Structures are given as C-alpha cells and as structure tokens.
Amino acid sequence: MGKTADFTVVQKTTIDTLHKEGKTQRSLQKRLAVHRALCPSTLIKRRREGKDVVEKKCTSNRDNRTLEKIVKQNPFKNVGEIHKEWTAAGVSASRTTTHRRVQDMGFSCRIPCVKPLLNNRQRQKRLVWAKDKKDWTAAEWSKVMFSDESKFCISFGNQGPRVWRKRGEAQNPRCLRSSVKFPQSVMVWGAMSSAAVGLLCFLRSEVNAAVYQDVLEHFMLPAADQLYGDADLIFQQDLAPAHSAKATSTWFKDHGIPVLNWPANSSDLNPIENLWGIVKRKMRYARPNNAEELKATIRATWALITPEQCHRLINSMPHRIAAVIQAKGAPTKY
C-alpha cells in the first residue's frame, strides 16, 4: 500500500507540473506511461480525486517476453500476424493491446534500410580489405578519385511531396500524383575527389567494356586533370563486368593510372554514393517532363555540390573502414 501511495504522489506531482508547463497529451503519455485514452484534463481530474493513473496491464511479464521473442524472430511481420501468433501461444489480448505492447517494448514500424546482399565469402573479403586499409589517413584517401554510375528516373517512387486532403478526397484528381508504368530514366557516370566533383557523363546505351573505356577517355581523364592536375591519383571503381574486363585493365595500364582494389557489393564504402543521394534528395520536388529536362535538372543539381561536402565525405573513409571492421565485414550504416 505504501509503495502504491508513494508512486501515486509522484504521479500527481509530475502531472501537475507538466500540465502547468503546457505540455501536450503525447508528452504526458510518454512521460508517465499512461493509457492513451486519458487526456490531460482527465489526468488532472483523477489526480485531484486521488486516483492512480497508471495503466493496468492485462498481460503478464511472461506473455510480454513471448511477444518480444515473436517480434525478434521475424521483424517483418505486420501487427495482425504478430497478434495471431501471440494469441496462438495462449495469450488473451486484443489486436490493439498487441500493438500497444510492441510499442511499449520500444519497437517502431519503419521503412527498412536497403543494403546489398553479402555472402560469407564477400564479408570476409571486405573485412580483409578494411584491415589492410585501416591505417590510411584522410590525406591518403584524398588521393583517391571515386567513381560510380547511378540511375535517375522522372518518377522517384515514394519520394516527393505529400498532399493535404480531407476525408474522402483520396481519389480526387487534384489530390492524385501521376505515375507511369515505365518512367523515363537516364544512367549517369560521375567522379569526385576531396576537392570537388568532375563532369557528368550521360550513358546512352548499356555499358560494356568499349563504352566504359570511351567514358574514361573523354570524361575520366579530363576530370583527373581538373581535380588533380599533375598530382598522383588512384582511381576507384566497383567490380562491374565492364570495369573489371581485361581490355579495361589494359587501358589503365597503358595510361599509367593505378586502380584501387575494391571489395564486391561495397557501396557503403564509396562516398560518391552519398553524393548521388544528396542530388536525388535535392531533386525531390523537381518535375521534369522528359529525359532532356531530367538531364538538365541533374546537371544543375550536381553543380551545387560544394567542396566542403566532398571533403567531408572523403574524410569519412577512416570511419567507414572502422565500421566494416567492427561489423566483421557485414553492411554498415554508411
């Protein structure tokens, strides 16, 4: 009784203080772990009447541990599937209670991050590569010219602006966003250093070894002169077939350009991937009508990349290496 009374006094004081500070209902709920149906005015009323405002749990700690195990076993289940499996285990609870308990455990439903699939062999190679480069400084990484291709579409999927609408207006033409089954798109090649970005190349056809060497000749070499001048550089590229072809390797040897060895499926190690992300986010509200307008928008947005952004991304390489080692070769947050 004494413990409950002391807890109620604490609740009363906290509610009164937060209410006077003008805190919202959500703040009170989060701070006090109270039932969602209780609004601030109700909380104050119950406080004055000396009643406890703590939500009464209808499930035991054992039931909750079972629920947490279900969620962790397959975090991609929806609430309905989780509820069905939980009640099948002998727990008596509603779907709403299931949802609430999952949230109380700290789980939130979010769009999952997408990472390349890595097998054990690839993870081991990434780990060996990272350990080999762990002593490289940011100054050494500044000698590397990073490159990559990226695809841009006129339709950006679920990205883009949201719409303000009233109930029942979901199908109103003014609230709809047009989409096409096969949106126009362009493939772009680009390169960057710690100082700036190079020229973009819009690829007109599928990239084979011959096409890629043409890109290197007319875009990579001018970019190298622009970004490095007479200084030494190391060129980075992924392991796409056109990049690793024997004819392409011969081209680099003939031009005296060293190529950085690179592990497979390691986009998280390439800072230019982050630049593509910056460009696409800046283009989120752009509405090009055709491929030419899309190219113009990409060029204009690419030109807005600042030297500070490039420098910051290259300086992150030691942190990326450390993250790969810590993850034992698995994908990282980058």
Side-chain angles (χ1 to χ4, degrees):
M1 177 66 179
K3 184 177 180 180
T4 303
D6 292 341
F7 184 72
T8 305
V9 170
V10 173
Q11 288 280 48
K12 291 177 181 178
T13 305
T14 306
I15 293 171
D16 195 35
T17 302
L18 293 176
H19 186 68
K20 288 180 179 179
E21 291 178 356
K23 298 297 183 181
T24 63
Q25 178 182 348
R26 184 178 292 274
S27 299
L28 285 169
Q29 292 169 350
K30 183 176 181 180
R31 179 70 175 271
L32 303 174
V34 296
H35 195 285
R36 299 173 186 275
L38 297 180
C39 63
S41 59
T42 305
L43 294 175
I44 295 297
K45 181 179 179 181
R46 291 178 67 87
R47 179 198 66 78
R48 289 171 179 168
E49 294 174 353
K51 297 180 180 179
D52 194 354
V53 297
V54 181
E55 178 189 359
K56 295 182 179 179
K57 304 290 185 180
C58 63
T59 55
S60 66
N61 291 335
R62 182 177 180 179
D63 294 336
N64 295 337
R65 286 194 297 271
T66 301
L67 176 60
E68 186 170 12
K69 184 178 180 181
I70 291 172
V71 176
K72 288 183 175 180
Q73 283 177 341
N74 185 359
F76 288 92
K77 294 178 181 176
N78 58 41
V79 175
E81 292 170 330
I82 294 172
H83 173 67
K84 183 177 181 180
E85 189 170 343
W86 196 30
T87 53
V91 179
S92 178
S94 66
R95 188 180 185 279
T96 301
T97 298
T98 303
H99 192 190
R100 188 182 304 126
R101 291 294 179 275
V102 172
Q103 290 181 319
D104 291 343
M105 292 173 186
F107 293 104
S108 298
C109 189
R110 297 287 186 267
I111 298 175
C113 297
V114 179
K115 296 290 183 179
L117 179 64
L118 293 169
N119 56 39
N120 290 331
R121 182 183 178 187
Q122 290 170 335
R123 285 198 294 269
Q124 286 301 315
K125 285 190 174 182
R126 276 166 56 91
L127 182 58
V128 171
W129 183 90
K131 289 181 176 179
D132 182 60
K133 302 292 188 296
K134 67 182 178 65
D135 294 326
W136 279 34
T137 63
E140 290 176 292
W141 283 111
S142 67
K143 298 177 182 179
V144 178
M145 181 179 180
F146 290 90
S147 69
D148 189 39
E149 293 94 3
S150 186
K151 185 177 182 179
F152 287 76
C153 297
I154 287 181
S155 172
F156 288 92
N158 291 328
Q159 295 182 356
R162 296 175 179 266
V163 61
W164 288 98
R165 70 189 187 203
K166 296 181 179 180
R167 184 184 296 274
E169 291 186 338
Q171 304 304 319
N172 190 313
R174 71 176 184 83
C175 298
L176 298 177
R177 189 156 63 93
S178 301
S179 64
V180 292
K181 189 172 183 179
F182 301 104
Q184 293 189 58
S185 63
V186 294
M187 184 65 73
V188 189
W189 177 92
M192 67 171 291
S193 72
S194 63
V197 296
L199 295 174
L200 291 178
C201 174
F202 291 94
L203 305 169
R204 297 181 179 179
S205 60
E206 183 178 347
V207 181
N208 54 30
V211 172
Y212 185 58
Q213 290 165 43
D214 189 60
V215 172
L216 296 174
E217 189 76 38
H218 296 94
F219 290 89
M220 179 270 186
L221 291 180
D225 290 338
Q226 171 194 343
L227 299 175
Y228 292 91
D230 296 329
D232 294 334
L233 69 89
I234 303 173
F235 186 70
Q236 181 277 336
Q237 59 181 2
D238 60 28
L239 300 183
H243 302 174
S244 55
K246 185 176 180 179
T248 303
S249 300
T250 301
W251 185 95
F252 280 111
K253 290 179 181 179
D254 292 343
H255 288 79
I257 300 174
V259 178
L260 180 69
N261 64 308
W262 194 254
N265 287 351
S266 296
S267 56
D268 56 340
L269 288 170
N270 193 346
I272 199 173
E273 292 281 358
N274 300 95
L275 282 189
W276 294 132
I278 291 172
V279 171
K280 290 177 181 180
R281 284 193 297 273
K282 287 181 178 292
M283 291 176 55
R284 181 175 298 179
Y285 298 101
R287 290 294 176 266
N289 295 309
N290 51 55
E292 290 305 314
E293 290 185 9
L294 177 60
K295 290 179 182 179
T297 305
I298 296 170
R299 287 193 189 96
T301 311
W302 182 254
L304 296 176
I305 299 296
T306 65
E308 291 76 18
Q309 288 174 309
C310 296
H311 184 72
R312 184 170 61 252
L313 288 173
I314 298 299
N315 279 357
S316 71
M317 285 304 298
H319 301 291
R320 295 171 191 252
I321 300 298
V324 171
I325 295 175
Q326 184 177 6
K328 298 181 180 180
T332 67
K333 66 178 183 178
Y334 296 96

